[in-house]
Amino acid sequence: MNPNEHRKEEEEEEENKISFSGMPDFSGGISINVDEEEVGEETTRRIGGSGFAPSFEPVSFADPQAFNMGPSIDTAPVKAMVQTAPSLARNGWNLHSAPILPEFHPLERSAVFVPYITATDVANRVGAVLRDRSIEAHFDNHKAKATCRSIQNVDFRVFLYRGQNTFSHGIIVEVQRRYGASVHFYKDQQAILDAAQGKPVENEDAMATAEIPLVSDNEDEEDNEASSLATLDFAKRLLSFQSYDSNLLAIQTLSSLTDPAKMGVKTSRAVSNHLLASPDNEVGSKVFALIVDQHDLENELRPIAMTVLANALHYSSRDSIHPVLREVIRPVLLKELGGAEKNPQMSFLAARCLEPLVKDDHNVGDLYNALDQAQAVGEARHAGLRDQCQKCIRLIDER
């Protein structure tokens, strides 16, 4: 073939080829950047997809929207479907459906299967037992989850799931403890699981706090103020440290020292009188600071500090409460009562603090209104708050 003709054929072939010069180069692999704001939280478990990446972390839950078994697939951003705040239903847990139990999710041993029942009925049972046992609960209907805190400051979660395959005809109830320790938690956990199954549950007094062998009055006779204050000295040293664990131990120690069910009447009275006698008391002032500090309302030590104050006010001599302390603590207690819808547990403790102060209060009208509103919340969500508000209202009526 003529060289010129050969060159001409090569040029024609080159012109007929498709050019990709304007396209990006994928020779180094494809990189996809995902905007976390658009897709919400990362989810590793998927049901019904072409593949999955299982996660074996101890506590990890898939987005319930991933379990939508409808005929179509919604590709809208996840954040548009997620509720912005937990449900604060006044009449228990108003749940309509529960997500399917994720694959590879290891259930806690504290879980039960309730056959032939709807998620709504189980949620009603769980909500009722949480209320009757004075357990603060905030409900997230999107995840079928209840975030709970007991009187003993134990944080835990209650999850509801629909079963799969042979368990598709019922609801799974799981309880997970997250923070805190108390022998009462085992009783609360068992009561929740029994109530979910429709078994009878015995209600417990909200103030049943004794967790160690009770000290009788006879055994307490040898106690004196000096030995009690020596323990207070130990708590004062712990409070002087910046460590959270040291402060927590100190506040827990004070909570026990002021509880006659744990330490005896004489010890609790001696410690309570010392804490409330003067605003200059170093230990008492630190307890008060935890309660009145409005810039740190989420401090986990605050509920325990409020328990210490409630115990001290109840078991101290009536004339040992310094007038300045009364006036400082009064507006804080009223504010906590007003926030009963958001935090019924703190409102319950505030009502306990108010009970010994009602008879000498200078404006019971303010107290009555706050107690009446908090009682309505307690009627729906917290039996201890309801009963405590009723006690205070009766004291106001008897004045």
Side-chain angles (χ1 to χ4, degrees), residues 157 172 189 272 342-343 356 392:
R157 308 288 184 268
I172 298 168
Q189 169 189 285
S272 298
K342 182 179 179 181
N343 197 334
C392 294

Side-chain angles (χ1 to χ4, degrees), residues 14-92:
E14 194 70 29
E15 290 175 357
N16 291 331
K17 288 181 179 180
I18 301 175
S19 175
F20 293 92
S21 59
M23 299 295 290
D25 182 14
F26 295 102
S27 60
I30 300 175
S31 175
I32 301 176
N33 294 324
V34 181
D35 186 355
E36 292 184 359
E37 292 294 327
E38 289 299 318
V39 299
E41 297 178 358
E42 180 184 359
T43 302
T44 57
R45 298 189 183 99
R46 297 290 180 186
I47 303 297
S50 59
F52 59 86
S55 172
F56 294 95
E57 295 179 2
V59 182
S60 178
F61 300 97
D63 186 345
Q65 292 295 333
F67 310 124
N68 184 359
M69 304 304 288
S72 62
I73 299 176
D74 189 353
T75 58
V78 174
K79 69 175 183 180
M81 300 181 292
V82 178
Q83 294 181 352
T84 57
S87 169
L88 297 177
R90 294 179 63 88
N91 297 310

Side-chain angles (χ1 to χ4, degrees), residues 380-397:
R381 298 177 53 200
H382 197 288
L385 174 60
R386 176 199 62 202
D387 297 342
Q388 190 61 49
C389 288
Q390 289 174 351
K391 284 183 185 180
C392 294
I393 290 173
R394 280 197 301 268
L395 290 173
I396 291 175
D397 293 338

Side-chain angles (χ1 to χ4, degrees), residues 111-399:
V112 295
F113 175 71
V114 188
Y116 307 109
I117 195 169
T118 64
T120 300
D121 292 336
V122 174
N124 287 337
R125 293 175 178 178
V126 172
V129 74
L130 293 175
R131 177 197 63 215
D132 294 341
R133 297 183 75 83
S134 302
I135 296 173
E136 177 183 324
H138 297 273
F139 304 112
D140 186 341
N141 290 337
H142 179 71
K143 297 181 179 179
K145 176 182 73 172
T147 302
C148 309
R149 170 171 285 192
S150 70
I151 290 285
Q152 293 77 30
N153 295 301
V154 178
D155 286 347
F156 63 96
R157 308 288 184 268
V158 180
F159 293 92
L160 268 57
Y161 301 106
R162 283 185 291 142
Q164 297 188 69
N165 302 324
T166 57
F167 295 97
S168 60
H169 58 290
I171 299 295
I172 298 168
V173 182
E174 181 184 30
V175 180
Q176 293 182 359
R177 183 176 66 88
R178 295 297 177 84
Y179 174 82
S182 169
V183 296
H184 281 278
F185 173 70
Y186 173 77
K187 298 179 182 179
D188 291 336
Q189 169 189 285
Q190 196 58 46
I192 293 168
L193 298 178
D194 286 345
Q197 297 174 85
K199 298 179 181 179
V201 176
E202 183 177 350
N203 292 331
E204 190 167 286
D205 183 5
M207 294 315 301
T209 59
E211 299 182 4
I212 58 177
L214 297 181
V215 179
S216 69
D217 288 339
N218 292 333
E219 292 173 333
D220 197 44
E221 286 178 355
E222 296 181 0
D223 269 352
N224 53 48
E225 188 172 354
S227 62
S228 305
L229 298 183
T231 310
L232 267 180
D233 217 28
F234 169 71
K236 180 172 72 173
R237 288 198 303 271
L238 289 175
L239 287 170
S240 66
F241 298 119
Q242 297 299 318
S243 167
Y244 172 83
D245 291 337
S246 298
N247 292 340
L248 174 62
L249 179 57
I251 297 298
Q252 288 176 333
T253 300
L254 292 173
S255 177
S256 295
L257 285 173
T258 54
D259 188 348
K262 295 179 180 179
M263 302 304 295
V265 175
K266 290 185 179 179
T267 299
S268 62
R269 179 171 294 132
V271 173
S272 298
N273 288 339
H274 186 77
L275 290 176
L276 301 177
S278 169
D280 299 327
N281 180 275
E282 190 173 345
V283 178
S285 63
K286 290 191 176 181
V287 174
F288 269 81
L290 285 171
I291 296 172
V292 302
D293 185 4
Q294 299 298 302
H295 301 290
D296 196 12
L297 297 180
E298 300 301 322
N299 192 334
E300 293 179 353
L301 297 177
R302 201 162 176 266
I304 310 176
M306 187 77 87
T307 301
V308 173
L309 177 62
N311 289 344
L313 289 170
H314 270 267
Y315 304 120
S316 65
S317 303
R318 190 173 176 182
D319 56 355
S320 67
I321 306 172
H322 198 279
V324 173
L325 299 180
R326 287 176 178 268
E327 294 306 313
V328 169
I329 202 65
R330 186 181 186 275
V332 178
L333 299 180
L334 285 174
K335 185 173 182 178
E336 293 296 345
L337 285 174
E341 185 70 36
K342 182 179 179 181
N343 197 334
Q345 190 79 339
M346 287 297 288
S347 295
F348 163 71
L349 294 172
R352 278 199 69 213
C353 292
L354 274 177
E355 185 182 347
L357 305 177
V358 164
K359 290 186 177 181
D360 298 324
D361 193 80
H362 55 78
N363 186 1
V364 292
D366 291 346
L367 299 184
Y368 196 97
N369 292 335
L371 289 165
D372 188 53
Q373 294 176 11
Q375 180 185 345
V377 176
E379 187 69 39
R381 298 177 53 200
H382 197 288
L385 174 60
R386 176 199 62 202
D387 297 342
Q388 190 61 49
C389 288
Q390 289 174 351
K391 284 183 185 180
C392 294
I393 290 173
R394 280 197 301 268
L395 290 173
I396 291 175
D397 293 338
E398 291 170 1
R399 282 182 45 146

